[in-house]
Amino acid sequence: MNEQNHVIHKDGQVSTDQVDNAIEKIAPEERDHILQNFDAFKEYLGKRIAMGESIGLSEEQMAKIAQKVADHLATNEEPRNREEKLLQELWNVGKEEERHMLAHMLVRLAQDTRTSH
C-alpha cells in the first residue's frame, strides 16, 4: 500500500479525503466495540490524538480529520448510545463552521480524557 492511501503522510501532510477509506479498513468487530460505548470511543479517539501530537500535527489538522470522521459517522453509522445520538443530532443541525468547532471540542475532549487517566 502506498502513502497515497493514508490519512497522515510521513511528512506530516493530512489527506482528509482518505478518512472514509481508513474507517472502512477497521474490522467490523473493532468498529462495533469502539462505537458501542462512549468511553471506548473517547479512548480510541484519545489514542489517535496522541499519535497525531507525537508526529507534530496541530490541533487544527486534527480537528479537520475529526470533522471528516464525524461526517462519515453521521452519514454511515447509527448511534449506539445516547452520547452518540446527541453528537449526531448536533452534527446534523450544525452549520459548517459549527461542525468544525464541534470537531475542535471533540479533539480537546479526547485530550482531556487521556490526561485524566
Side-chain angles (χ1 to χ4, degrees), residues 39-97:
D39 288 332
F41 173 74
K42 289 189 305 184
E43 182 181 327
Y44 179 83
L45 187 57
K47 288 177 183 176
R48 297 308 176 261
I49 297 298
M51 189 183 311
E53 289 171 341
S54 73
I55 62 170
L57 292 184
S58 68
E59 181 180 318
E60 180 64 25
Q61 289 172 304
M62 290 185 284
K64 286 180 180 179
I65 295 168
Q67 185 172 359
K68 191 70 172 170
V69 169
D71 280 338
H72 178 88
L73 293 175
T75 303
N76 299 299
E77 297 286 342
E78 285 298 317
R80 292 175 172 88
N81 53 59
R82 291 182 311 227
E83 295 89 350
E84 287 177 8
K85 180 69 175 160
L86 174 61
L87 284 173
Q88 185 184 56
E89 288 183 16
L90 289 171
W91 198 259
N92 289 337
V93 300
K95 296 176 183 151
E96 185 70 20
E97 182 180 315

Side-chain angles (χ1 to χ4, degrees), residues 1-10 15 18 21 25:
M1 176 181 300
N2 63 29
E3 196 170 314
Q4 292 175 323
N5 295 325
H6 295 281
V7 174
I8 302 169
H9 302 281
K10 292 176 189 168
S15 297
Q18 293 298 322
N21 292 337
K25 289 179 190 172

